[in-house]
Amino acid sequence: MPSHQQLSELLDPVSTVLLTVECQQGVVGPDSALPELAREARSSGALRNVARLVAAAHETGVQVVHAIAERRPDGRGASRNARLFRAAERLPVLQLSGTHAVRVAPPIEVAEEDFVVRRLHGLSPIHGTDVDALLRNLGCRTLVVTGVSANVAIPNAVFDAVNLGYTAVVPADAIAGVPADYTPAMIRHTLALVATVSTTDDVLRCLKRPRGRG
């Protein structure tokens, strides 16, 4: 874990963006297409910690970006080149554009100044979406990555962020995957090699008072 000073230097509100990944009703909500993942996100406290981080970001002037995975009702443009995509087509809850399933899930609150970026294809909330361009235009240097899942989308986001030149910070208790013991293994053996791993409380302690963003 980084020292308080090291983490504080990374988390300058002017150059930090908080990314929430697939924290949507159809994934982590009570009527999730993936009930095991939804239960883990809630019972582990990860979803609550994401909400705490988002609330603190709103208070301190840190930009928030919510990354949502969805598909058109006709499925046009959706990826089908992996078993995961084909299985998703058969789930009882589909992440259809414009439906309740693709709304950000409570207790996370979306503020007017937040960005909500929606993708229709692929595994990554960054690659092939507007996220990278938005981050650059916002002057982002540090990306705090939260949400689900530690199995697929979170490592994709971290790798893409690092490959694009951002410093990734991962609050370990603000991400979730299945089974429960997979997440700490992924963090220890993979994410810790490329990202700064911290905790929600440590990130909250480091956030500074609001400052103007250029």
Side-chain angles (χ1 to χ4, degrees), residues 140-164:
C140 176
R141 295 179 62 85
T142 299
L143 185 66
V144 181
V145 180
T146 67
V148 297
S149 71
N151 305 76
V152 179
I154 294 297
N156 264 268
V158 171
F159 294 151
D160 284 347
V162 172
N163 285 331
L164 289 166

Side-chain angles (χ1 to χ4, degrees), residues 21-41:
V21 178
E22 296 182 26
C23 292
Q24 57 204 72
Q25 291 279 17
V27 176
V28 296
D31 299 319
S32 170
L34 304 164
E36 184 183 1
L37 177 59
R39 283 194 298 271
E40 180 60 26

Side-chain angles (χ1 to χ4, degrees), residues 14-15 17 63 65 115 130-141 166 213-214:
V14 175
S15 57
V17 172
Q63 180 66 56
V65 177
F115 289 98
D130 290 337
V131 170
D132 180 39
L134 291 172
L135 296 181
R136 294 190 186 282
N137 290 344
L138 291 163
C140 176
R141 295 179 62 85
Y166 304 105
R213 185 181 287 274

Side-chain angles (χ1 to χ4, degrees), residues 61-153:
V62 169
Q63 180 66 56
V64 179
V65 177
H66 304 281
I68 302 295
E70 60 182 50
R71 57 183 287 124
R72 287 168 46 123
D74 61 10
R76 291 175 67 86
S79 302
R80 299 198 75 254
N81 58 335
R83 188 175 69 173
L84 176 65
F85 301 131
R86 296 190 294 274
E89 295 175 352
R90 300 190 296 273
L91 292 173
V93 178
L94 299 179
Q95 314 299 317
L96 299 182
S97 301
T99 67
H100 179 73
V102 297
R103 295 178 186 171
V104 175
I108 299 168
E109 295 187 0
V110 180
E112 185 177 355
E113 63 268 22
D114 293 359
F115 289 98
V116 180
V117 179
R118 304 179 182 276
R119 78 178 193 273
L120 292 171
H121 60 84
L123 299 169
S124 174
I126 298 178
H127 178 72
T129 74
D130 290 337
V131 170
D132 180 39
L134 291 172
L135 296 181
R136 294 190 186 282
N137 290 344
L138 291 163
C140 176
R141 295 179 62 85
T142 299
L143 185 66
V144 181
V145 180
T146 67
V148 297
S149 71
N151 305 76
V152 179

